[in-house]
Protein backbone atom coordinates (compact mmCIF):
# COMPACT_ATOMS: atom_id res chain seq x y z
CA UNK A 1 0.00 0.00 0.00
CA UNK A 2 1.36 3.40 -0.94
CA UNK A 3 1.54 5.93 1.85
CA UNK A 4 3.15 9.25 2.59
CA UNK A 5 5.47 9.64 5.55
CA UNK A 6 7.77 12.38 6.83
CA UNK A 7 11.34 12.20 5.57
CA UNK A 8 14.34 11.14 7.58
CA UNK A 9 16.94 13.91 7.72
CA UNK A 10 19.90 13.43 5.41
CA UNK A 11 23.37 13.98 6.85
CA UNK A 12 24.82 17.40 6.09
CA UNK A 13 28.11 17.47 4.21
CA UNK A 14 31.08 19.22 5.69
CA UNK A 15 30.84 22.67 4.15
CA UNK A 16 34.51 23.26 4.83
CA UNK A 17 35.65 20.57 2.44
CA UNK A 18 36.17 21.17 -1.28
CA UNK A 19 34.77 18.65 -3.72
CA UNK A 20 37.45 16.43 -5.21
CA UNK A 21 36.85 14.68 -8.55
CA UNK A 22 39.50 12.01 -9.05
CA UNK A 23 38.07 10.61 -12.29
CA UNK A 24 36.31 11.72 -15.45
CA UNK A 25 32.53 11.85 -15.43
CA UNK A 26 30.63 8.75 -16.46
CA UNK A 27 27.77 10.49 -18.24
CA UNK A 28 26.44 8.32 -21.04
CA UNK A 29 26.45 9.46 -24.62
CA UNK A 30 25.39 8.19 -28.01
CA UNK A 31 28.63 6.22 -28.28
CA UNK A 32 29.49 5.69 -24.62
CA UNK A 33 26.55 3.55 -23.53
CA UNK A 34 25.54 3.03 -19.90
CA UNK A 35 24.53 -0.40 -18.63
CA UNK A 36 21.27 -0.44 -16.67
CA UNK A 37 19.05 -3.24 -15.44
CA UNK A 38 16.85 -2.94 -18.54
CA UNK A 39 19.76 -2.97 -21.00
CA UNK A 40 22.10 -0.34 -22.38
CA UNK A 41 21.22 3.35 -22.33
CA UNK A 42 22.22 5.95 -24.94
CA UNK A 43 21.92 9.70 -24.43
CA UNK A 44 21.93 11.88 -27.54
CA UNK A 45 22.84 15.56 -27.14
CA UNK A 46 20.70 17.94 -29.22
CA UNK A 47 22.19 21.46 -29.18
CA UNK A 48 19.26 23.85 -28.82
CA UNK A 49 16.96 20.82 -28.86
CA UNK A 50 16.66 20.99 -32.66
CA UNK A 51 15.72 17.99 -34.82
CA UNK A 52 14.80 17.83 -38.50
CA UNK A 53 12.11 15.59 -40.00
CA UNK A 54 14.77 13.10 -41.13
CA UNK A 55 16.33 13.03 -37.68
CA UNK A 56 12.97 12.47 -35.97
CA UNK A 57 12.40 9.50 -38.27
CA UNK A 58 15.87 8.14 -37.48
CA UNK A 59 15.36 8.33 -33.71
CA UNK A 60 11.96 6.69 -34.03
CA UNK A 61 13.51 3.87 -36.00
CA UNK A 62 16.28 3.47 -33.40
CA UNK A 63 13.75 3.30 -30.56
CA UNK A 64 11.63 0.77 -32.43
CA UNK A 65 14.36 -1.50 -33.80
CA UNK A 66 17.11 -1.27 -31.22
CA UNK A 67 15.60 -0.02 -27.93
CA UNK A 68 12.46 -0.61 -25.86
CA UNK A 69 10.09 1.35 -28.10
CA UNK A 70 10.19 4.56 -26.04
CA UNK A 71 12.08 7.85 -26.13
CA UNK A 72 12.84 9.74 -22.92
CA UNK A 73 13.37 13.51 -22.77
CA UNK A 74 15.95 14.78 -20.30
CA UNK A 75 15.99 18.01 -18.29
CA UNK A 76 18.47 19.39 -20.84
CA UNK A 77 16.29 18.74 -23.86
CA UNK A 78 18.25 15.66 -24.90
CA UNK A 79 16.89 12.26 -25.91
CA UNK A 80 17.58 8.93 -24.23
CA UNK A 81 17.07 5.43 -25.62
CA UNK A 82 16.78 2.57 -23.11
CA UNK A 83 16.73 -1.20 -23.36
CA UNK A 84 19.42 -1.35 -26.04
CA UNK A 85 20.98 -4.72 -26.75
CA UNK A 86 24.65 -5.50 -26.17
CA UNK A 87 25.44 -5.73 -29.88
CA UNK A 88 23.56 -2.65 -31.10
CA UNK A 89 26.23 0.02 -30.56
CA UNK A 90 27.63 -0.08 -34.08
CA UNK A 91 24.24 -0.08 -35.78
CA UNK A 92 23.06 2.80 -33.57
CA UNK A 93 26.11 4.95 -34.31
CA UNK A 94 25.73 4.43 -38.06
CA UNK A 95 22.03 5.27 -37.93
CA UNK A 96 22.70 8.46 -35.95
CA UNK A 97 25.66 9.51 -38.10
CA UNK A 98 23.71 9.01 -41.32
CA UNK A 99 21.00 11.32 -39.95
CA UNK A 100 23.54 14.04 -39.14
CA UNK A 101 23.20 13.56 -35.39
CA UNK A 102 26.89 12.80 -34.75
CA UNK A 103 28.91 15.59 -36.41
CA UNK A 104 31.95 14.66 -34.33
CA UNK A 105 32.42 11.43 -32.39
CA UNK A 106 35.08 12.99 -30.14
CA UNK A 107 32.79 15.84 -29.12
CA UNK A 108 29.41 14.13 -28.87
CA UNK A 109 29.16 14.34 -25.05
CA UNK A 110 30.14 18.03 -24.76
CA UNK A 111 27.37 19.37 -27.04
CA UNK A 112 25.25 20.34 -24.01
CA UNK A 113 23.44 23.47 -25.20
CA UNK A 114 19.95 24.54 -24.14
CA UNK A 115 18.27 27.49 -25.87
CA UNK A 116 14.95 29.34 -25.57
CA UNK A 117 12.58 27.01 -27.45
CA UNK A 118 10.32 29.81 -28.73
CA UNK A 119 13.21 31.95 -29.97
CA UNK A 120 12.51 33.46 -33.36
CA UNK A 121 8.87 32.29 -33.40
CA UNK A 122 6.84 34.87 -31.47
CA UNK A 123 8.63 38.23 -31.69
CA UNK A 124 9.31 38.39 -27.96
CA UNK A 125 13.00 37.62 -27.62
CA UNK A 126 15.86 39.88 -28.59
CA UNK A 127 17.74 37.35 -30.74
CA UNK A 128 17.18 34.01 -32.39
CA UNK A 129 19.42 32.12 -30.02
CA UNK A 130 18.87 28.92 -31.99
CA UNK A 131 21.32 30.45 -34.48
CA UNK A 132 23.74 30.97 -31.60
CA UNK A 133 23.31 27.33 -30.62
CA UNK A 134 24.13 26.17 -34.13
CA UNK A 135 27.27 28.32 -34.30
CA UNK A 136 28.40 27.34 -30.79
CA UNK A 137 27.97 23.67 -31.64
CA UNK A 138 30.22 24.10 -34.66
CA UNK A 139 32.83 25.86 -32.53
CA UNK A 140 32.76 23.14 -29.87
CA UNK A 141 33.20 20.42 -32.47
CA UNK A 142 36.09 22.23 -34.16
CA UNK A 143 38.40 22.49 -31.14
CA UNK A 144 40.85 19.86 -29.91
CA UNK A 145 40.54 20.96 -26.27
CA UNK A 146 36.75 20.94 -25.85
CA UNK A 147 36.47 17.14 -25.30
CA UNK A 148 38.07 17.87 -21.92
CA UNK A 149 34.80 19.43 -20.81
CA UNK A 150 32.64 17.19 -18.67
CA UNK A 151 29.55 15.62 -20.19
CA UNK A 152 27.67 17.62 -17.55
CA UNK A 153 29.02 21.08 -18.48
CA UNK A 154 26.06 23.14 -19.71
CA UNK A 155 25.63 26.18 -21.98
CA UNK A 156 22.33 28.08 -21.61
CA UNK A 157 21.32 30.52 -24.37
CA UNK A 158 18.41 32.78 -23.38
CA UNK A 159 16.76 35.09 -25.91
CA UNK A 160 15.84 37.57 -23.17
CA UNK A 161 12.54 36.11 -22.02
CA UNK A 162 14.17 34.45 -19.00
CA UNK A 163 13.20 30.85 -19.66
CA UNK A 164 16.54 29.04 -19.73
CA UNK A 165 18.61 31.59 -17.78
CA UNK A 166 17.58 29.91 -14.54
CA UNK A 167 18.46 26.37 -15.55
CA UNK A 168 21.89 26.40 -13.96
CA UNK A 169 24.07 26.76 -17.02
CA UNK A 170 27.81 26.80 -16.43
CA UNK A 171 27.98 29.44 -19.17
CA UNK A 172 24.89 31.58 -19.76
CA UNK A 173 24.23 33.94 -22.66
CA UNK A 174 21.31 36.38 -22.43
CA UNK A 175 20.27 38.43 -25.44
CA UNK A 176 19.48 42.12 -24.95
CA UNK A 177 17.87 44.79 -27.06
CA UNK A 178 20.13 46.92 -29.24
CA UNK A 179 22.29 44.07 -30.50
CA UNK A 180 24.07 43.25 -27.24
CA UNK A 181 24.19 40.23 -24.99
CA UNK A 182 25.48 39.30 -21.55
CA UNK A 183 27.79 36.34 -21.01
CA UNK A 184 27.99 35.06 -17.47
CA UNK A 185 29.77 32.42 -15.45
CA UNK A 186 29.33 32.21 -11.70
CA UNK A 187 29.18 35.76 -10.38
CA UNK A 188 31.16 37.18 -13.31
CA UNK A 189 29.40 38.71 -16.31
CA UNK A 190 30.27 40.87 -19.31
CA UNK A 191 28.29 42.74 -21.93
CA UNK A 192 29.30 41.88 -25.49
CA UNK A 193 28.04 42.31 -29.03
CA UNK A 194 25.33 39.76 -29.80
CA UNK A 195 27.24 38.67 -32.89
CA UNK A 196 30.12 37.59 -30.63
CA UNK A 197 27.95 35.52 -28.29
CA UNK A 198 28.93 32.02 -29.48
CA UNK A 199 32.64 32.86 -29.46
CA UNK A 200 32.26 34.37 -26.00
CA UNK A 201 30.63 31.18 -24.71
CA UNK A 202 33.50 29.12 -26.08
CA UNK A 203 36.03 31.45 -24.44
CA UNK A 204 34.18 31.13 -21.14
CA UNK A 205 34.42 27.34 -21.32
CA UNK A 206 38.16 27.62 -21.88
CA UNK A 207 38.45 29.92 -18.87
CA UNK A 208 36.64 27.32 -16.76
CA UNK A 209 39.05 24.56 -17.78
CA UNK A 210 41.99 26.78 -16.87
CA UNK A 211 40.41 27.49 -13.48
CA UNK A 212 39.70 23.79 -12.91
CA UNK A 213 43.31 22.94 -13.75
CA UNK A 214 44.53 25.60 -11.33
CA UNK A 215 42.20 24.38 -8.60
CA UNK A 216 43.40 20.81 -9.03
CA UNK A 217 40.15 19.30 -7.75
CA UNK A 218 39.00 17.86 -11.09
CA UNK A 219 35.86 20.04 -11.17
CA UNK A 220 33.31 19.04 -13.79
CA UNK A 221 31.14 22.15 -13.41
CA UNK A 222 31.55 25.77 -12.30
CA UNK A 223 29.73 25.11 -9.02
CA UNK A 224 32.41 22.55 -8.13
CA UNK A 225 35.28 25.05 -8.18
CA UNK A 226 36.62 25.81 -4.70
CA UNK A 227 35.38 28.99 -3.06
CA UNK A 228 37.45 31.93 -4.18
CA UNK A 229 38.91 30.21 -7.22
CA UNK A 230 39.56 32.82 -9.91
CA UNK A 231 37.98 32.38 -13.34
CA UNK A 232 39.64 34.73 -15.79
CA UNK A 233 36.60 35.30 -17.98
CA UNK A 234 37.66 38.82 -18.90
CA UNK A 235 41.09 37.66 -20.00
CA UNK A 236 39.64 34.79 -21.96
CA UNK A 237 37.31 37.13 -23.85
CA UNK A 238 40.20 39.46 -24.61
CA UNK A 239 42.34 36.62 -25.93
CA UNK A 240 39.44 35.46 -28.11
CA UNK A 241 39.16 38.95 -29.63
CA UNK A 242 35.74 39.62 -28.06
CA UNK A 243 35.21 43.21 -26.94
CA UNK A 244 33.55 43.14 -23.52
CA UNK A 245 32.51 45.44 -20.68
CA UNK A 246 32.15 44.14 -17.13
CA UNK A 247 28.59 44.19 -15.83
CA UNK A 248 27.96 45.36 -12.28
CA UNK A 249 28.87 48.11 -9.82
CA UNK A 250 31.60 50.32 -11.14
CA UNK A 251 31.73 48.67 -14.56
CA UNK A 252 31.10 50.62 -17.74
CA UNK A 253 28.54 48.00 -18.66
CA UNK A 254 26.60 48.42 -15.42
CA UNK A 255 23.12 47.05 -15.61
CA UNK A 256 21.80 43.66 -16.41
CA UNK A 257 18.72 41.75 -17.32
CA UNK A 258 15.68 41.20 -15.13
CA UNK A 259 13.08 38.53 -15.74
CA UNK A 260 9.99 38.00 -13.65
CA UNK A 261 10.34 35.69 -10.70
CA UNK A 262 13.61 37.22 -9.55
CA UNK A 263 17.12 37.98 -10.74
CA UNK A 264 19.02 35.76 -13.09
CA UNK A 265 21.60 33.57 -11.36
CA UNK A 266 24.44 32.27 -13.50
CA UNK A 267 25.71 29.77 -10.95
CA UNK A 268 27.86 29.64 -7.88
CA UNK A 269 29.88 32.75 -6.98
CA UNK A 270 33.29 32.73 -8.60
CA UNK A 271 35.97 35.31 -8.04
CA UNK A 272 36.52 37.56 -11.03
CA UNK A 273 39.84 37.72 -12.74
CA UNK A 274 41.70 39.23 -15.65
CA UNK A 275 39.85 42.26 -16.95
CA UNK A 276 37.43 42.12 -14.06
CA UNK A 277 33.86 41.12 -13.60
CA UNK A 278 30.81 42.20 -11.74
CA UNK A 279 27.44 41.22 -10.48
CA UNK A 280 25.18 38.80 -12.22
CA UNK A 281 22.80 40.64 -14.57
CA UNK A 282 19.66 41.37 -12.67
CA UNK A 283 21.59 41.26 -9.42
CA UNK A 284 23.10 44.05 -7.29
CA UNK A 285 24.52 45.75 -10.34
CA UNK A 286 21.11 47.09 -11.25
CA UNK A 287 18.68 45.74 -13.81
CA UNK A 288 18.08 46.75 -17.37
CA UNK A 289 14.46 45.78 -18.02
CA UNK A 290 13.70 43.56 -20.98
CA UNK A 291 11.71 45.49 -23.57
CA UNK A 292 9.10 43.42 -25.35
CA UNK A 293 7.63 44.09 -28.79
CA UNK A 294 5.90 47.42 -28.85
CA UNK A 295 6.98 48.30 -25.33
CA UNK A 296 7.67 51.94 -24.77
CA UNK A 297 9.95 51.42 -21.84
CA UNK A 298 10.23 47.87 -20.75
CA UNK A 299 8.03 44.93 -19.96
CA UNK A 300 8.62 42.15 -17.49
CA UNK A 301 8.13 38.77 -19.09
CA UNK A 302 7.19 35.68 -17.17
CA UNK A 303 9.37 32.61 -17.31
CA UNK A 304 12.34 31.10 -15.57
CA UNK A 305 12.73 27.84 -13.80
CA UNK A 306 9.63 28.06 -11.70
CA UNK A 307 7.07 29.93 -13.70
CA UNK A 308 5.28 30.04 -17.01
CA UNK A 309 6.36 31.14 -20.42
CA UNK A 310 6.27 34.57 -21.97
CA UNK A 311 2.82 36.11 -22.21
CA UNK A 312 3.46 39.16 -24.35
CA UNK A 313 3.11 39.99 -28.01
CA UNK A 314 0.64 39.29 -30.78
CA UNK A 315 -0.49 35.68 -30.83
CA UNK A 316 1.17 34.86 -27.53
CA UNK A 317 -0.57 32.69 -24.98
CA UNK A 318 -2.75 34.38 -22.42
CA UNK A 319 -1.17 35.53 -19.19
CA UNK A 320 -1.59 32.99 -16.43
CA UNK A 321 -1.47 29.98 -18.73
CA UNK A 322 1.58 28.71 -16.92
CA UNK A 323 3.42 25.60 -17.88
CA UNK A 324 5.83 23.69 -15.64
CA UNK A 325 8.62 26.15 -16.45
CA UNK A 326 8.74 26.29 -20.22
CA UNK A 327 6.19 27.22 -22.88
CA UNK A 328 2.70 26.22 -21.75
CA UNK A 329 0.94 23.60 -23.85
CA UNK A 330 -1.22 24.96 -26.61
CA UNK A 331 -0.96 27.13 -29.69
CA UNK A 332 1.56 29.96 -29.29
CA UNK A 333 1.46 32.20 -32.33
CA UNK A 334 2.19 29.83 -35.23
CA UNK A 335 3.78 27.18 -33.01
CA UNK A 336 2.40 24.21 -31.08
CA UNK A 337 3.68 23.26 -27.63
CA UNK A 338 3.05 19.89 -25.94
CA UNK A 339 4.65 17.82 -23.18
CA UNK A 340 5.75 14.21 -22.78
CA UNK A 341 3.89 12.44 -19.95
CA UNK A 342 6.45 11.81 -17.20
CA UNK A 343 9.08 12.81 -19.76
CA UNK A 344 8.66 9.74 -21.97
CA UNK A 345 6.85 9.02 -25.25
CA UNK A 346 6.18 5.88 -27.23
CA UNK A 347 7.35 5.56 -30.82
CA UNK A 348 3.74 6.15 -31.94
CA UNK A 349 3.55 9.38 -29.92
CA UNK A 350 6.95 10.43 -31.24
CA UNK A 351 5.84 9.96 -34.83
CA UNK A 352 2.63 11.88 -34.12
CA UNK A 353 4.86 14.97 -33.89
CA UNK A 354 5.34 14.67 -37.68
CA UNK A 355 5.10 16.26 -40.18
CA UNK A 356 7.10 19.38 -39.33
CA UNK A 357 5.90 22.46 -41.25
CA UNK A 358 9.27 24.19 -40.87
CA UNK A 359 11.31 20.92 -40.91
CA UNK A 360 12.09 21.54 -37.25
CA UNK A 361 11.13 19.97 -33.93
CA UNK A 362 12.37 21.67 -30.78
CA UNK A 363 12.86 19.43 -27.74
CA UNK A 364 12.67 21.52 -24.57
CA UNK A 365 14.51 21.26 -21.21
CA UNK A 366 11.08 20.85 -19.56
CA UNK A 367 10.52 17.54 -21.35
CA UNK A 368 8.27 19.00 -23.98
CA UNK A 369 8.19 19.74 -27.68
CA UNK A 370 7.65 22.87 -29.76
CA UNK A 371 6.67 22.58 -33.43
CA UNK A 372 7.07 25.98 -35.15
CA UNK A 373 6.10 27.21 -38.60
CA UNK A 374 2.38 26.55 -39.03
CA UNK A 375 0.80 28.58 -41.82
CA UNK A 376 -2.21 29.63 -39.77
CA UNK A 377 -3.76 29.19 -36.35
CA UNK A 378 -6.31 26.70 -37.63
CA UNK A 379 -3.64 24.30 -38.83
CA UNK A 380 -1.83 24.64 -35.51
CA UNK A 381 -5.00 23.84 -33.55
CA UNK A 382 -5.67 20.78 -35.69
CA UNK A 383 -2.20 19.45 -34.89
CA UNK A 384 -2.64 20.24 -31.19
CA UNK A 385 -5.88 18.23 -31.13
CA UNK A 386 -4.17 15.31 -32.88
CA UNK A 387 -1.32 15.33 -30.37
CA UNK A 388 -3.83 15.40 -27.53
CA UNK A 389 -5.50 12.30 -28.98
CA UNK A 390 -2.09 10.64 -29.23
CA UNK A 391 -1.65 11.01 -25.48
CA UNK A 392 0.75 13.94 -25.23
CA UNK A 393 -0.01 16.68 -22.70
CA UNK A 394 -1.75 19.39 -24.72
CA UNK A 395 -4.09 20.89 -22.10
CA UNK A 396 -2.69 23.71 -19.90
CA UNK A 397 -5.05 22.54 -17.16
CA UNK A 398 -3.67 19.00 -16.96
CA UNK A 399 -2.50 18.07 -13.44
CA UNK A 400 0.29 16.03 -15.04
CA UNK A 401 2.10 19.18 -16.20
CA UNK A 402 5.25 19.58 -14.15
CA UNK A 403 5.18 15.97 -12.94
CA UNK A 404 8.40 14.07 -13.54
CA UNK A 405 9.94 10.79 -12.48
CA UNK A 406 13.23 8.99 -12.62
CA UNK A 407 13.52 5.66 -14.43
CA UNK A 408 12.69 3.64 -11.32
CA UNK A 409 12.22 -0.09 -11.32
CA UNK A 410 12.73 -2.28 -13.25
CA UNK A 411 15.23 -0.24 -15.25
CA UNK A 412 17.39 1.04 -12.37
CA UNK A 413 19.01 -1.27 -9.82
CA UNK A 414 19.25 1.49 -7.23
CA UNK A 415 15.54 2.30 -7.30
CA UNK A 416 13.35 1.11 -4.44
CA UNK A 417 10.07 1.31 -6.38
CA UNK A 418 8.42 1.47 -9.78
CA UNK A 419 7.91 5.19 -9.39
CA UNK A 420 6.49 5.67 -12.88
CA UNK A 421 3.67 3.26 -12.12
CA UNK A 422 3.11 4.68 -8.64
CA UNK A 423 3.17 8.37 -9.64
CA UNK A 424 0.07 10.46 -8.99
CA UNK A 425 0.01 14.11 -10.05
CA UNK A 426 -1.99 15.72 -7.28
CA UNK A 427 -3.02 19.27 -8.15
CA UNK A 428 -1.16 22.56 -7.96
CA UNK A 429 1.44 24.69 -9.65
CA UNK A 430 4.73 23.51 -8.14
CA UNK A 431 6.64 20.87 -10.12
CA UNK A 432 6.78 17.44 -8.49
CA UNK A 433 9.39 14.76 -9.05
CA UNK A 434 9.11 11.08 -8.12
CA UNK A 435 12.41 9.42 -7.22
CA UNK A 436 13.25 5.80 -6.56
CA UNK A 437 16.37 6.57 -4.49
CA UNK A 438 18.14 9.43 -2.77
CA UNK A 439 20.05 10.40 -5.93
CA UNK A 440 16.79 11.95 -7.22
CA UNK A 441 17.96 11.78 -10.83
CA UNK A 442 16.40 14.43 -13.08
CA UNK A 443 14.81 16.52 -10.35
CA UNK A 444 13.94 20.13 -11.27
CA UNK A 445 15.69 23.29 -10.09
CA UNK A 446 14.11 26.02 -8.01
CA UNK A 447 10.99 25.31 -5.97
CA UNK A 448 9.70 21.74 -6.26
CA UNK A 449 8.01 18.84 -4.52
CA UNK A 450 10.16 15.80 -3.77
CA UNK A 451 8.40 12.40 -3.60
CA UNK A 452 10.98 9.83 -2.53
CA UNK A 453 10.53 6.06 -2.33
CA UNK A 454 11.50 4.39 0.95
CA UNK A 455 12.54 0.84 1.79
CA UNK A 456 9.23 0.07 3.51
CA UNK A 457 7.22 0.68 0.34
CA UNK A 458 5.99 4.16 1.26
CA UNK A 459 6.97 7.59 0.01
CA UNK A 460 8.38 10.67 1.74
CA UNK A 461 7.01 13.99 0.48
CA UNK A 462 9.19 17.08 0.95
CA UNK A 463 8.70 20.66 -0.17
CA UNK A 464 11.78 22.47 -1.50
CA UNK A 465 11.15 26.21 -1.75
CA UNK A 466 13.04 29.45 -1.17
CA UNK A 467 16.15 27.52 -0.17
CA UNK A 468 14.33 25.63 2.59
CA UNK A 469 12.94 22.13 2.90
CA UNK A 470 10.03 20.86 4.96
CA UNK A 471 8.26 17.51 5.23
CA UNK A 472 4.66 17.37 4.08
CA UNK A 473 2.10 14.97 5.50
CA UNK A 474 -1.54 14.38 4.72
CA UNK A 475 -4.12 11.69 4.19
CA UNK A 476 -3.66 9.78 0.96
CA UNK A 477 -0.56 10.18 -1.15
CA UNK A 478 -2.59 12.18 -3.70
CA UNK A 479 -3.76 14.52 -0.94
CA UNK A 480 -0.22 14.93 0.37
CA UNK A 481 1.21 15.72 -3.06
CA UNK A 482 -1.62 18.20 -3.68
CA UNK A 483 -0.94 19.88 -0.34
CA UNK A 484 2.73 20.23 -1.22
CA UNK A 485 2.09 21.51 -4.77
CA UNK A 486 -0.24 24.23 -3.47
CA UNK A 487 1.94 25.37 -0.55
CA UNK A 488 4.11 28.46 -0.84
CA UNK A 489 5.27 28.68 2.77
CA UNK A 490 7.29 25.65 3.89
CA UNK A 491 6.60 26.28 7.57
CA UNK A 492 2.89 25.80 6.91
CA UNK A 493 3.50 22.14 6.14
CA UNK A 494 5.24 21.21 9.37
Amino acid sequence: MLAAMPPTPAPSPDQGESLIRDRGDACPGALRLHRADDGLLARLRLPGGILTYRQVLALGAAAERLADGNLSVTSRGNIELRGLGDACGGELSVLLADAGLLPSERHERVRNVVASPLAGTDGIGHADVQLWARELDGLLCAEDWTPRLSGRFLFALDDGRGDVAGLGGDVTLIAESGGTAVVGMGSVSFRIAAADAPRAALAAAKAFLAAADAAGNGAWRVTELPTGQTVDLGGALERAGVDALPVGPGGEGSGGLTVSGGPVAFGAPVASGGSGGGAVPGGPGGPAVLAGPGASGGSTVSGGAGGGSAALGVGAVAAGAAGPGGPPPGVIGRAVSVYAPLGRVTVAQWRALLPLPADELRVTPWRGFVIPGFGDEGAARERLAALDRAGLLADPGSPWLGVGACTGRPGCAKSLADVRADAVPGHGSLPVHWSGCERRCGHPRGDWVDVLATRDGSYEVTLHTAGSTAPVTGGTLTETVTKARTTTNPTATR
Side-chain angles (χ1 to χ4, degrees):
M1 177 179 178
L2 300 179
M5 62 179 289
T8 53
S12 299
D14 185 347
Q15 297 301 315
E17 296 183 2
S18 296
L19 177 68
I20 302 295
R21 298 284 195 189
D22 56 3
R23 59 175 177 82
D25 78 272
C27 276
L31 302 177
R32 179 197 284 183
L33 306 184
H34 169 76
R35 183 169 297 282
D37 272 18
D38 57 350
L40 297 175
L41 177 152
R43 181 178 299 157
L44 180 65
R45 271 71 173 182
L46 306 176
I50 298 296
L51 287 169
T52 65
Y53 176 87
R54 178 168 165 244
Q55 291 168 342
V56 171
L57 287 178
L59 285 174
E64 186 172 56
R65 295 195 336 240
L66 306 176
D68 64 1
N70 298 290
L71 301 97
S72 298
V73 186
T74 76
S75 60
R76 294 183 169 192
N78 297 322
I79 294 294
E80 285 185 351
L81 300 174
R82 301 189 66 94
L84 294 161
D86 287 347
C88 78
E91 185 177 354
L92 177 63
S93 64
V94 169
L95 190 155
L96 297 177
D98 287 348
L101 289 167
L102 284 178
S104 172
E105 293 186 359
R106 288 188 62 222
H107 299 82
E108 61 103 359
R109 291 193 321 119
V110 302
R111 303 168 68 222
N112 292 301
V113 183
V114 296
S116 299
L118 291 176
T121 69
D122 57 4
I124 292 178
H126 293 315
D128 187 349
V129 293
Q130 293 292 346
L131 299 178
W132 291 359
R134 189 179 308 163
E135 182 177 348
L136 176 58
D137 183 34
L139 293 172
L140 287 169
C141 291
E143 295 290 342
D144 289 336
W145 57 267
T146 49
R148 292 183 54 213
L149 292 169
S150 161
R152 302 184 184 187
F153 193 88
L154 179 64
F155 298 88
L157 316 184
D158 195 299
D159 70 354
R161 74 186 67 222
D163 53 357
V164 302
L167 294 184
D170 295 282
V171 177
T172 300
L173 294 173
I174 303 178
E176 297 182 304
S177 61
T180 61
V182 171
V183 56
M185 173 180 282
S187 60
V188 185
S189 54
F190 287 82
R191 181 160 285 115
I192 58 173
D196 291 333
R199 290 194 300 121
L202 186 73
K206 196 168 191 176
F208 162 76
L209 286 178
D213 287 344
N217 71 331
W220 296 343
R221 305 200 61 194
V222 171
T223 54
E224 297 176 358
L225 292 172
T227 301
Q229 173 63 50
T230 297
V231 176
D232 187 9
L233 178 56
L237 293 172
E238 183 177 356
R239 288 187 291 274
V242 176
D243 293 333
L245 292 174
V247 174
E252 294 179 57
S254 296
L257 176 68
T258 290
V259 295
S260 70
V264 175
F266 286 132
V270 179
S272 61
S275 300
V280 175
V289 180
L290 170 66
S296 56
S299 301
T300 302
V301 284
S302 58
S309 179
L312 296 173
V314 177
V317 295
V331 175
I332 307 173
R334 299 293 174 84
V336 166
S337 169
V338 293
Y339 282 78
L342 292 177
R344 185 177 293 177
V345 294
T346 65
V347 170
Q349 290 171 327
W350 178 255
R351 289 172 175 156
L353 296 164
L354 299 173
L356 306 174
D359 194 28
E360 187 173 278
L361 175 68
R362 301 185 179 187
V363 184
T364 80
W366 301 277
R367 299 181 171 91
F369 308 100
V370 170
I371 308 173
F374 287 92
D376 56 65
E377 184 177 343
R381 293 202 176 280
E382 286 182 13
R383 175 63 65 81
L384 181 69
L387 293 172
D388 185 35
R389 292 191 296 271
L392 286 97
L393 302 181
D395 180 357
S398 171
W400 287 99
L401 283 175
V403 182
C406 70
T407 297
R409 289 181 177 172
C412 178
K414 293 183 172 62
S415 181
L416 300 176
D418 185 351
V419 292
R420 304 182 72 83
D422 292 345
V424 294
H427 296 273
S429 59
L430 281 180
V432 56
H433 189 77
W434 291 70
S435 301
C437 75
E438 292 185 353
R439 294 186 304 166
R440 297 172 173 85
C441 294
H443 74 76
R445 294 178 58 85
D447 296 347
W448 62 290
V449 176
D450 177 14
V451 186
L452 178 66
T454 65
R455 293 189 180 278
D456 63 4
S458 62
Y459 284 88
E460 298 173 349
V461 181
T462 306
L463 178 64
H464 297 252
T465 183
S468 301
T469 61
V472 184
T473 57
T476 67
L477 190 53
T478 297
E479 291 169 343
T480 306
V481 172
T482 296
K483 182 178 180 181
R485 295 192 75 183
T486 55
T487 300
T488 57
N489 180 5
T491 60
T493 68
R494 295 186 183 277

